[in-house]
Amino acid sequence: RLALLEGRFDPGAVLALIQQERVRVWGSIPTMVSRVLEHPGFGQFDVSSVKSIPMGGAAIPPSLREKIRALFPGVKKSVGSLYGCTEAGGVVAAGSATDLEGRPGCVGKALPVVELRIARPDPQGVGEIQARTPTATLGYWGESVSVTDTEGWVGTGDLGRLEGSYLILSGRSKDIIIRAGENIACAHVEQCLQQHPAVQEVAVLPLPHEDLGEEVAAVIRLRDGYSASEEELARHAAAHLAKFEVPSRWWLRREALPTNASGKIAKAELKSLWGGTR
């Protein structure tokens, strides 16, 4: 049977539902899984029924996979990944735990009926991910513009590269900061900051700058029981990122970052809040 959560996402409600319905497979996105793992009452719930946690919507940090294996006793190697696009008909790539191991940002391989390609790749091979499938939509209701090009390819709006048959996700094509002519992928900076032990959640976004055009801004939710200063986080970033990628604006907070209906961090809301209050 299929168990559905009522109302908006709530970590405690997810844990209660898993225990009550003896959920075996819990499909989610990394942000939601992370919040469930960090719930203060996690240990009070029986999650032994869960055997698999496939995730989609974003690349899965290796540290998150390790936490899942440690806290969900029934999940051993079944921390897989799904990657899809509604216009292409749903899931277009999937990866097992073995596929993802040692491949940061990997979301798996194309499904048997799917073709993938990278459009307009840069020198590192990163460009827009495009898919061609037999289930691609014909168009949008009330609009005459085709979703596919003349050869049947659908643009996903995501950035990535192909490493052999493996698809590596870099972020959204619109999730880019242009600082003094340098293109900075927000996901790349987020992955770096997520490795700091005091960081529970992070969102990197552009803020307007009179001289640079845009500057790199980071919203950090600090982990309970941990503390970190802006200077400490900047040093951590500088040790792993190019100088122009290091955030110059910081917002450190204890509250959970806002999310949209699909559970992804609502960056537009954060940007609006930052502009109105900071």
Side-chain angles (χ1 to χ4, degrees):
R1 63 187 173 192
L2 184 66
L4 298 176
L5 186 66
E6 260 190 271
R8 292 183 64 84
F9 168 77
D10 176 80
V14 171
L15 287 165
L17 189 64
I18 288 174
Q19 176 176 273
Q20 176 184 319
E21 300 296 333
R22 305 301 297 159
V23 173
R24 294 181 64 252
V25 179
W26 172 35
S28 191
I29 69 169
T31 300
M32 291 178 170
V33 176
S34 177
R35 291 187 179 184
V36 166
L37 293 175
E38 297 291 341
H39 190 273
F42 183 92
Q44 301 170 19
F45 294 90
D46 179 6
V47 297
S48 60
S49 62
V50 179
K51 304 300 180 186
S52 177
I53 304 180
M55 287 179 278
I60 307 168
S63 58
L64 180 57
R65 293 204 301 271
E66 292 306 317
K67 287 181 183 177
I68 291 171
R69 290 171 181 150
L71 295 177
F72 282 89
V75 179
K76 295 179 181 178
K77 292 188 176 181
S78 299
V79 186
S81 174
L82 302 174
Y83 171 75
C85 172
T86 302
E87 290 85 349
V91 176
V92 298
S96 66
T98 302
D99 292 329
L100 307 183
E101 197 68 40
R103 296 186 177 91
C106 180
V107 292
K109 301 178 181 179
L111 298 185
V113 295
V114 175
E115 296 175 80
L116 295 175
R117 74 177 184 184
I118 304 300
R120 301 173 296 281
D122 65 13
Q124 287 72 47
V126 176
E128 185 190 24
I129 301 169
Q130 295 187 343
R132 184 161 62 184
T133 78
T135 54
T137 183
L138 297 177
Y140 298 112
W141 181 261
E143 296 185 15
S144 58
V145 179
S146 176
V147 171
T148 64
D149 65 14
T150 56
E151 297 179 335
W153 292 96
V154 177
T156 65
D158 291 325
L159 294 174
R161 60 185 174 85
L162 288 170
E163 196 174 274
S165 58
Y166 295 100
L167 179 62
I168 311 297
L169 187 63
S170 302
R172 291 288 296 172
S173 59
K174 294 182 179 179
D175 206 12
I176 294 290
I177 299 169
I178 304 177
R179 178 190 182 278
E182 296 280 4
N183 286 4
I184 301 166
C186 293
H188 179 59
V189 181
E190 289 166 351
Q191 289 166 13
C192 169
L193 294 173
Q194 192 72 62
Q195 300 306 310
H196 192 284
V199 175
Q200 180 165 338
E201 293 180 335
V202 56
V204 172
L205 46 89
L207 289 182
H209 190 279
E210 289 185 3
D211 179 46
L212 303 172
E214 292 179 334
E215 63 180 323
V216 185
V219 186
I220 303 287
R221 179 190 180 189
L222 295 172
R223 196 179 300 279
D224 290 342
Y226 286 78
S227 62
S229 65
E230 295 179 8
E231 292 75 18
E232 179 184 347
L233 292 168
R235 286 195 299 272
H236 169 80
H240 303 280
L241 300 172
K243 184 177 180 179
F244 61 84
E245 294 177 311
V246 177
S248 52
R249 297 278 300 278
W250 300 86
W251 179 1
L252 308 184
R253 50 187 277 166
R254 294 289 178 181
E255 304 83 11
L257 273 56
T259 57
N260 58 24
S262 63
K264 297 181 182 180
I265 292 174
K267 290 190 176 183
E269 182 177 342
L270 281 173
K271 191 173 182 179
S272 175
L273 288 170
W274 197 323
T277 63
R278 297 181 63 78

